[in-house]
Each structure stands twice: as structure tokens, then as C-alpha cells.
Amino acid sequence: MNRRRDRGLVSRLIIVSNRLPVSLESSEDGSYSLRQNIGGLATAIAPYHKAHRDCLWIGWSGVDPDQYSDEELDRIRQAYKANRCIPIFLSQDEINGYYAGFSNNTLWPLFHDFSHEAQFNPGEWETYRKVNMRFAQVIEPLVLKGDTIWIQDYHLMLLPKMLRERYPQASIGWFLHVPFPSAEIFRSLPWCREILEGVLGADLVGFHTTDFVMSFLASVHRLLPELAVDRDGMVRMPDGHRAAVDAFPIGIDYNLYARTARSSLARAMRRGIEESAGKSTGHRYRSSVAAEGDAATEAGKRDGAWWSRHRLEELPELTLAQSAASSIGQKQNKVIVSVDRLDYTKGLPERLKAFGRMLQKYPEWTGHVTYYLLATPSREDVESYRRLKAQVDELVGQINGRYSLLAWTPIHYITRSLSIKPVCGIYAAGDVALVTPLRDGMNLVAKEYLACHDGREGSLVLSDMCGAADELTDAFIVNPYDIDMVCEALHDALEISPEVARSRNIRMQARLKVRTASNWCMSFLDTLRQVSTPGMTDRRLRMDTRNQMVDEWQKASNRLILCDYDGTLTPLVRNPDRAKPTKAIRQMLRQVGSQAGVDFYLVSGRSHETMEQWFSDLPIGLIAEHGAWSKSVNGPDAGIWKRAPGLPEAESWQPLVKPIMEESVQRVPKSFVEVKADALAWHYRMSDARLAEPERDALSSRLQEAVAGKGLMVMRNSKVLEVCPVATSKGQAVLPWITGGHYDFMLSLGDDATDETMFAVMPDSAWSLKIGTGATKARARVLGPTAVQLLLRDLAAGTAVGAEPRTRTAGVPGGFAQGES
Ligand code: ADQ
């Protein structure tokens, strides 16, 4: 029975993922508690879940129900419920078919381009379908009208359609954390059409990168040719529902990693690593390496010892020891780090071979570079994973056996699972991080490493087969299959000067600080709301267009932003005085306005006195009263309020118009008149619309009559009726800036009819963004102030980033240092 209840329009979020963000721990007294899981997904969404008291999270508990009595299971449910989590219990057969089987043995390899590892087992597919149905059945009684449901990852690809059939009006999002393969690979899956149709039950289908979006749409085009993709990039389903497909690159909690790297435990770990790598202790380590070098030289000369039967070149160990000794004092000791789950997608054997090749090709690194390899085994019951573990063990053994000195071992191989503090200690100790997956949706390790090097040097060698490479363009980008290329990049990364490494990091870190996990979460949910709102999909600002805008912004030298305030930068509120800028908005305006080559203007209908009071201390220009007043941010008139020429004097008309408006104030409770230097506005946002709207129409006619022939006009805006001089409009006011030829990037943003006058005068090459519904001349549309704030923060970080297009290291003339000097 459908027990869906009506809760009005309040939107509550239900998150659905394979695993819950918390794991069960039982104590000796028989009670149960829950521990927060670490990992990208849990870290990204858990803060939203915690902050919203009515947000629910549904997922597999990891608890085997056969191990517990009914009473114990009830207590476990209660423990989860206290954390607003609803556990799903799966039997061993279900886990084998749905999780270990179809998810991990079919979808995981296929989606990571390892089709040769993929198994196509109809029984496992059937269990996958049944478990997706189980999820739908658990969710069903919990869904209320107006709820938003956000489903995560490849384990639950059939669920969006199952829920759509139950709730045609629900707002459903689905996000894939791993790559989406090419149509050629995807179509080899016998159930590929069902999977696509399952996912397309969502209103918003999200991926990490625009490349994955394109692969997905290519599969839709090829496998479901009957479905049309409309000009807004939405897939039309036969039931009339439309699914938007877009990219949302996930971030990390930057401050958490930067802070944890500074914790005493992480600092102690870092010191320990540096000492054992011979970075800081120096003396004993050096004397041992030197002694071993001497011994090698000695060995070459003496007769009678066992090695005398060999020529030196047959015993490279001896020359290595000499080489290690000879580079003492010339080579600073360095640490390489990597942190992985032991999975074939992570490229561990290839990476180890590249490290081995570097020691062979550049023997001066012998004794002077230590690789800390944290690789925790996973899925050990699967044969291919066991084989991988054996291969990695063997490679580590070979390299260590071949190159070790008495006081130095090239690879420290750690297979334990470590918690966040030691992991941050390892990251912080690394002069170089070697992050070379053969395929990865995003890869958070690369981002975490950079956060642990906040504001300081430390080089990143990064595979271009992961989503992170799209954003971290200042890294040493490599093809992880190309052993020589990784070897060279590693050598270059070790040799790079600290100043250059630091400046590269600062650019990447500026971006990571803005594109955080919580901003990713906000951005996905904001877009989901937008695509679920009628009238909001037309000209939606998609990720590819947004990227194009950011790209043009970065290439420009002189940038102009013209931004409305109420309803654009900040939400519309019932009492206009309450729209005072928050600390976060002021901070953002300061950040954007203080960038070199950026002029930011707030273009508002508010009085210039209010604008002065709220914003005069910020490095931005102000245009007030729809253009009647303006204050430049630079030039000879910078900081001086100027009144537009030729306006009728306020004393000549305000005494006549104000009493007419005040009559309406008498008739409509909670409405009021705002007096500006060159305008009068009747506000009725706080009033009952049934009373206010007929009065607005009547007042509008009375005002039209009263101001006829006086050079004044009556403007109708969102819950405001305003009288102002004909000669003023935002469009008129911004003309001097946009026609001056000074700016090579221009962006205007606004939400109402007054802003349309601005959009109308923008040149074709400029950007314009409409906030909210309604006909518009703007180039693109976003939902509301949240999207505007995220975009402006991103642009501000982009100015700091100034990233070059992504290039693989080798094969580029001048190598990676190009453009650096
Ligand atoms: P994962 O496959 O989990 O995520 P990744 O993005 O690298 O891959 O995140 C791994 C997380 O686990 C990181 O937070 C890392 O610190 C931690 N970790 C890894 N190995 C560890 C070890 N040996 N010990 C302790 N901690 C370890 C999936 C996709 C990714 C995508 C994320 C988020 O496969 O491509 O980036 O989701 O969407």
C-alpha cells in the first residue's frame, strides 16, 4: 500500500547508497554504537546529513542478520535510527550476487575499462535486480510528498526507475562515483539497456567529468535510439519525464586534511618517515652509506673474496653502493608516497616498475629516495585481487632485493589499513606523491595530498586517466601505462625546485579550497532542484558551458562582473532590511573584488545610502537606484558617488507621488513605502498576496496617470512597484563600462525585469545569467543565489589558478617547467 503522506512543499533529502556512512561496533556490555566511515562519499555527504535534522540515509548495514537474534537486530536498527540511518540487512546469498558478484565482478571492471576481468552471470544480474527492488521497498514507506531522493553509485542503477514508477512527481537524483565507459565497452554488457533505462528514471544523472557525460549520452544514443535528447541536453523518456545529464566533480573537505596534517600525531609520523628516509638524521645514515660505498670500492680491488670471481659490472649492487656514497652531500634525501586500496585499477605494478626503472636509470638516487607505499589489500576472496597482491609483493621484493643498502631500503611497503591521521602524516612527509591509477572516476588521494601540503611544496605525479587530472592541471600529468614517462616525471618531480613546486601547488590548492566536498553536494542538489522546477531547464547553465566561461575568464586580462544583489547574490526576503549581506557574502565580494584584473559592480535598485552603508568598505563598484547613482571602483572618479545627469529633481515629484503610495499602505497591511534619492518604491512582499495584487494593479494605474509627462516611469518588479526617472535603467547605467572596450571578459547576473535591461545591452561575446524562471535575454539560467555564489567563488579561485591546459609531461618541449620561469 502506498502510505505516502502530504507534507506540503517542504523538501527533505533521502540519501541512498550501497553502504551507510556509519559502521556498527558492539561493546562488551552488549550495547551497539556506530563509527563514522571514512571515504569520499561519506565525507562529502555526511556533513549535509548531520546538519539537516530531517535528512535520512538508507543503505546496506554490512551486518549479517543470521548472526543476530531478532531482538538484537531491533537494537541495531534503533542504534542506526538514532543517527537517522535506515539499515538494510542482506543475506549472504544476496551479498554474493548483488555486491561481490554483479557490482564488483561485472560493473566495476567494465566501468574501469577492464572488460577482460568482467564476468557476465545471469544469476548475479537477477540478484542485483532483486536487491535494487529491496531498496525500493524499504524506501517506499519513508517517502513523503516533496521529498528529494539522491541515489549513489553503480550498485543502485536500477533504483531510479523503480522509484520513478512509484513516485512520478518525486525529485530523484543519481550520481556515479566511478567512470562511465565508452559505448563500445558498455554495450558488451548483456543488460546494458535495462541499466540505462534504470538510471534515466532520475531527474538528474551526475558524473565526475564531462567526458563521462559524453560517454553516457553516446550509449543512450546508440542503445536507446528511440529516446530524444532535447536542446537543453535533457533525455526525454516515453512517460514524458525528462532526465538531465551533467558533470559534478567531487571535492574533499580541504580544511579537514590541512588541519589533520598539522595534528601532533601526523607531525610525529612525518618526522619518523623523514628520519628513516635519512632526511633529517643525517650523520649515522650518511656514514653507513659512505662506508658501504668504500666497501664496494675495496671489493673491486681485492683478490680472494667471493666476489672476486665476478667482474664489477656483473654485480651492479656494488656500483650502486658506490654511487649512493658519491652522491652524499649532492643529493638531498627525498620521500615518495602513495596511498591506495590494492585494486587492479590503481596501477600499482606499473608504478613500481616505473620506480624501479628510475633507480636503474638514475643511480644517483640510490640511498637517497625512499618510497612509502601504503596499499591495503581488498576483496581478498577474489582470485584476480589475490593475483595482484602476489604481483605487488613480488615487485616490491625484487626492487628491495636489487637496490637495498645496509642502511637503506628503497620501498617501505605497508599493507595495514590506517586511519586519517597517519595517512595525513604519510601525505605530509611525501616530497612527491605518485598517484597513477589506470582508471579512476575522480581520485581523492591526489586532492588529499595537496591539502596536506597546504601552502607548501610537494609534487604530484598524476595519471591522466582519472577525473582529478581535469582539475589538477599543474601536476606532472602522465600516462600510467607508459613506464618510461612515469619514470621521467618522477625524476623531474623529485628535482623540481621548492619555489616552483610551491607556486604550482598554491594554484591547485586555491581551486580545491573552493571546490570542496560540501560545495559538490550543494551544487548537485541545487541543480536537481533546478531541473525538477518547471520553467527552469530552458538554457540551464550546464557544466560544459560553465567550464567554457571559467576558461574564458582565466584567459582574460580585464574582467567585468555586473551583479544584481537582491534575488541574485542573496535570496529574496520578506523584509528588505533583512537582506543585509552575510559575513560569507562580504568575504566572497572582497575576494572577487580584490583580484587583479577584476572589476566587480553591484548593480541594484536599492538606495545609494543603503549600498554605501553595506558595501563601501569593499573593493567593488556600486550602481544604485537602477542606475541613478553610481560609484566607480577605479579611474579618476573612484570612490565618489555620482548622480546620472538630466534626472528630474526628486522634490519636484516625490511630494506628489508619495501620498498616492501611502493610500495603498493604508489598504494593504504590512506594505510600506521606501524613499530613495531618485525613486519611490511601494513594497508588498510581507503582505497577503490576495489583497496586495489587486491593489498593485490599481495603484499602478493611479501612478501612471500621476507621473504622465514628468519624465518618470512606473516599474513593476518582484513584489515592488516603483516610480523612477525614465532616463534610468540598469542597462543605461552599465553602458559606459561595457562599451569602453577595456574588458575582454564580461558577465552580468540578475533575476528580474530590471536586470533584463542589462542583459539587452551586453555584447554577443559577453556572458549573462538569469536567476530563476521567466522569459529572458540572458545566455544561461541558474536556480538561485546558491549557484551564483558557487560560480563567483570558482571564478575568483580561477583567477588565482590561471591554469594552463592539461599536458602530459613527456613529449612536451621543455618538459613540465614550461611557462614556469
Ligand atoms: P574510491 O575508490 O574509494 O572512491 P578514492 O577517490 O581514491 O577512491 O578515495 C579513496 C579514499 O580512501 C581516500 O579518502 C583515501 O584517503 C582513502 N584510502 C585509500 N587507500 C587507503 C589506505 N590504504 N588506507 C587508508 N585510507 C585509504 C570512489 C571512486 C573514485 C572517486 C570516489 C569519490 O572510485 O574515483 O574519487 O569514489 O567519488
Side-chain angles (χ1 to χ4, degrees):
M1 189 181 71
N2 187 348
R3 281 187 273 146
R4 191 171 162 195
R5 281 172 286 144
D6 192 334
R7 322 166 57 237
L9 290 172
V10 180
S11 178
R12 185 184 62 153
L13 179 66
I14 299 179
I15 303 158
V16 193
S17 61
N18 170 50
R19 287 299 292 265
L20 284 168
V22 282
S23 296
L24 190 76
E25 275 183 347
S26 46
S27 21
E28 280 171 9
D29 63 1
S31 63
Y32 296 106
S33 58
L34 295 167
R35 188 174 38 88
Q36 182 76 39
N37 295 338
I38 324 174
L41 171 62
T43 318
I45 312 181
Y48 186 97
H49 178 236
K50 270 196 194 129
H52 294 78
R53 297 187 64 80
D54 59 354
C55 173
L56 287 182
W57 198 318
I58 298 166
W60 171 35
S61 58
V63 170
D64 180 355
D66 294 337
Q67 304 292 318
Y68 297 89
S69 67
D70 287 350
E71 189 204 315
E72 282 171 322
L73 286 177
D74 262 351
R75 278 196 288 132
I76 292 173
R77 270 192 202 94
Q78 290 310 318
Y80 274 108
K81 203 172 163 195
N83 284 260
R84 282 179 279 114
C85 289
I86 312 289
I88 292 179
F89 299 106
L90 298 178
S91 69
Q92 198 52 51
D93 278 352
E94 286 173 323
I95 295 165
N96 291 345
Y98 147 80
Y99 180 66
F102 197 73
S103 297
N104 288 345
N105 285 344
T106 309
L107 295 178
W108 176 270
L110 203 67
F111 283 19
H112 286 87
D113 298 351
F114 279 78
S115 9
H116 55 283
E117 297 277 359
Q119 294 166 17
F120 302 122
N121 180 328
E124 290 177 350
W125 157 249
E126 192 46 35
T127 312
Y128 179 84
R129 209 182 52 72
K130 279 191 186 142
V131 172
N132 270 248
M133 185 62 82
R134 272 280 299 287
F135 271 75
Q137 285 158 353
V138 172
I139 294 164
E140 192 171 354
L142 301 168
V143 178
L144 308 172
K145 187 173 179 186
D147 280 351
T148 296
I149 307 167
W150 188 8
I151 303 160
Q152 309 292 327
D153 232 354
Y154 61 100
H155 314 88
L156 299 169
M157 295 183 84
L158 301 177
L159 189 56
K161 184 174 179 221
M162 290 172 176
L163 292 178
R164 171 70 52 210
E165 284 163 359
R166 287 168 167 78
Y167 304 111
Q169 304 305 322
S171 176
I172 303 173
W174 176 80
F175 187 85
L176 183 69
H177 289 263
V178 299
F180 194 86
S182 71
E184 275 310 309
I185 290 184
F186 184 67
R187 77 194 179 105
S188 64
L189 180 67
W191 309 280
C192 54
R193 286 185 180 77
E194 287 93 323
I195 295 262
L196 282 185
E197 284 167 350
V199 164
L200 288 167
D203 296 285
L204 180 60
V205 175
F207 300 92
H208 282 307
T209 69
T210 47
D211 280 353
F212 302 151
V213 168
M214 284 190 303
S215 297
F216 179 80
L217 289 175
S219 285
V220 172
H221 185 68
R222 177 153 198 169
L223 298 166
L224 302 172
E226 66 281 12
L227 300 183
V229 181
D230 65 23
R231 68 186 170 87
D232 297 316
M234 317 251 317
V235 184
R236 268 179 199 281
M237 301 303 288
D239 61 1
H241 135 87
R242 296 189 309 161
V245 186
D246 211 342
F248 302 87
I250 199 170
I252 55 162
D253 183 343
Y254 187 93
N255 291 335
L256 171 75
Y257 282 91
R259 211 175 45 236
T260 310
R262 290 193 291 267
S263 68
S264 48
L265 198 145
R267 285 215 313 270
M269 299 267 316
R270 179 181 163 190
R271 276 197 302 273
I273 291 171
E274 287 175 350
E275 267 178 35
S276 71
K279 275 188 85 169
S280 47
T281 42
H283 184 65
R284 272 190 208 160
Y285 178 84
R286 283 175 192 198
S287 57
S288 169
V289 171
E292 204 172 340
D294 291 346
T297 311
E298 189 89 339
K301 293 181 195 151
R302 286 174 66 185
D303 258 357
W306 66 269
W307 53 74
S308 64
R309 279 175 276 126
H310 301 272
R311 284 185 300 128
L312 262 189
E313 55 272 26
E314 288 167 4
L315 275 177
E317 289 84 350
L318 297 180
T319 46
L320 284 174
Q322 286 172 315
S323 155
S326 65
S327 31
I328 289 176
Q330 289 164 26
K331 274 256 170 279
Q332 220 195 338
N333 282 18
K334 294 275 168 91
V335 172
I336 300 171
V337 295
S338 67
V339 172
D340 296 271
R341 193 166 51 76
L342 227 167
D343 190 284
Y344 50 77
T345 61
K346 302 293 180 186
L348 283 150
E350 292 75 7
R351 197 187 301 172
L352 282 165
K353 285 177 194 163
F355 178 66
R357 180 138 331 153
M358 193 196 69
L359 292 180
Q360 182 192 27
K361 188 166 175 195
Y362 300 101
E364 65 270 27
W365 281 117
T366 313
H368 301 292
V369 63
T370 310
Y371 181 8
Y372 278 78
L373 171 73
L374 174 61
T376 311
S378 66
R379 304 178 192 168
E380 286 170 283
D381 48 336
V382 179
E383 172 56 25
S384 55
Y385 282 77
R386 277 201 301 270
R387 261 189 280 123
L388 174 71
K389 170 86 171 59
Q391 192 187 1
V392 170
D393 289 354
E394 195 180 325
L395 279 165
V396 171
Q398 277 172 9
I399 295 170
N400 278 347
R402 166 97 171 70
Y403 295 98
S404 285
L405 302 177
L406 291 176
W408 172 75
T409 310
I411 303 173
H412 279 240
Y413 179 34
I414 305 130
T415 56
R416 283 196 316 282
S417 176
L418 297 179
S419 64
I420 183 166
K421 281 185 181 168
V423 167
C424 287
I426 295 177
Y427 285 143
D431 295 292
V432 175
L434 201 43
V435 186
T436 53
L438 303 177
R439 198 82 179 115
D440 218 337
M442 173 53 69
N443 193 292
L444 300 176
V445 167
K447 296 186 172 186
E448 292 166 5
Y449 170 78
L450 287 172
C452 289
H453 286 250
D454 185 38
R456 64 185 184 94
E457 69 272 18
S459 303
L460 176 64
V461 177
L462 182 64
S463 158
D464 75 350
M465 305 298 273
C466 65
D470 279 2
E471 294 174 89
L472 306 177
T473 46
D474 275 292
F476 289 79
I477 305 286
V478 293
N479 174 354
Y481 289 96
D482 187 337
I483 309 293
D484 280 326
M485 185 184 210
V486 179
C487 156
E488 292 305 327
L490 190 51
H491 176 66
D492 290 349
L494 287 165
E495 294 277 8
I496 197 170
S497 82
E499 298 73 42
V500 174
R502 187 169 166 272
S503 74
R504 285 176 171 278
N505 283 357
I506 286 172
R507 291 199 289 259
M508 294 192 278
Q509 287 157 349
R511 228 178 225 190
L512 295 181
K513 282 179 197 171
V514 172
R515 295 186 183 175
T516 58
S518 71
N519 281 354
W520 167 80
C521 183
M522 235 179 348
S523 161
F524 185 92
L525 291 175
D526 196 62
T527 307
L528 178 54
R529 271 191 284 276
Q530 176 166 1
V531 298
S532 311
T533 307
M536 282 302 302
T537 54
D538 165 50
R539 292 183 224 190
R540 183 175 70 80
L541 180 67
R542 302 205 307 253
M543 187 53 83
D544 47 358
T545 324
R546 196 177 191 276
N547 284 348
Q548 189 192 336
M549 189 196 299
V550 175
D551 197 38
E552 286 180 22
W553 167 274
Q554 284 174 357
K555 288 187 182 128
S557 318
N558 296 305
R559 312 161 180 97
L560 174 68
I561 300 181
L562 303 164
C563 183
D564 170 49
Y565 181 65
D566 295 272
T568 299
L569 200 54
T570 183
L572 290 172
V573 287
R574 283 162 67 81
N575 180 348
D577 289 339
R578 294 248 167 94
K580 213 172 157 180
T582 59
K583 211 171 146 192
I585 288 185
R586 285 175 51 78
Q587 204 176 8
M588 196 257 295
L589 290 174
R590 190 181 297 282
Q591 198 194 349
V592 182
S594 57
Q595 305 281 323
V598 178
D599 288 345
F600 187 102
Y601 280 82
L602 271 182
V603 188
S604 171
R606 284 193 178 258
S607 73
H608 70 284
E609 287 91 351
T610 307
M611 301 281 279
E612 175 71 14
Q613 203 186 335
W614 287 357
F615 304 108
S616 60
D617 60 326
L618 298 175
I620 60 172
L622 302 171
I623 296 175
E625 298 182 33
H626 308 294
W629 292 82
S630 59
K631 188 165 101 165
S632 274
V633 69
N634 54 25
D637 296 332
I640 302 165
W641 277 109
K642 296 188 74 179
R643 186 170 180 259
L647 303 180
E649 291 307 319
E651 303 82 59
S652 70
W653 63 271
Q654 287 193 344
L656 175 80
V657 171
K658 198 170 169 231
I660 303 175
M661 285 187 171
E662 274 163 353
E663 279 172 36
S664 297
V665 173
Q666 297 299 321
R667 279 194 276 272
V668 179
K670 294 187 186 162
S671 71
F672 65 93
V673 175
E674 183 190 2
V675 180
K676 307 181 196 178
D678 281 286
L680 281 177
W682 178 66
H683 291 264
Y684 59 93
R685 184 167 303 282
M686 291 186 285
S687 312
D688 183 342
R690 285 167 303 182
L691 203 62
E693 279 167 10
E695 181 59 25
R696 174 203 55 202
D697 297 342
L699 174 61
S700 176
S701 313
R702 284 198 293 276
L703 290 172
Q704 302 276 10
E705 254 176 59
V707 304
K710 292 191 168 60
L712 298 164
M713 63 179 175
V714 181
M715 261 196 323
R716 201 184 264 209
N717 272 323
S718 169
K719 316 275 183 190
V720 187
L721 202 60
E722 187 152 3
V723 174
C724 60
V726 172
T728 62
S729 79
K730 289 182 178 179
Q732 282 287 328
V734 301
L735 271 179
W737 282 277
I738 61 177
T739 54
H742 175 65
Y743 298 104
D744 49 358
F745 176 98
M746 289 187 248
L747 164 66
S748 61
L749 308 104
D751 71 317
D752 65 18
T754 64
D755 303 309
E756 289 295 327
T757 63
M758 205 161 51
F759 301 150
V761 297
M762 298 302 283
D764 288 347
S765 60
W767 290 91
S768 47
L769 268 191
K770 160 87 178 171
I771 288 78
T773 52
T776 183
K777 292 192 177 70
R779 262 173 88 171
R781 186 192 303 276
V782 295
L783 181 69
T786 303
V788 171
Q789 289 174 24
L790 289 172
L791 175 69
L792 292 178
R793 287 208 171 92
D794 219 10
L795 290 178
T799 325
V801 170
E804 297 293 314
R806 164 177 165 189
T807 325
R808 282 178 178 173
T809 306
V812 181
F816 212 78
Q818 213 185 22
E820 199 58 66
S821 55

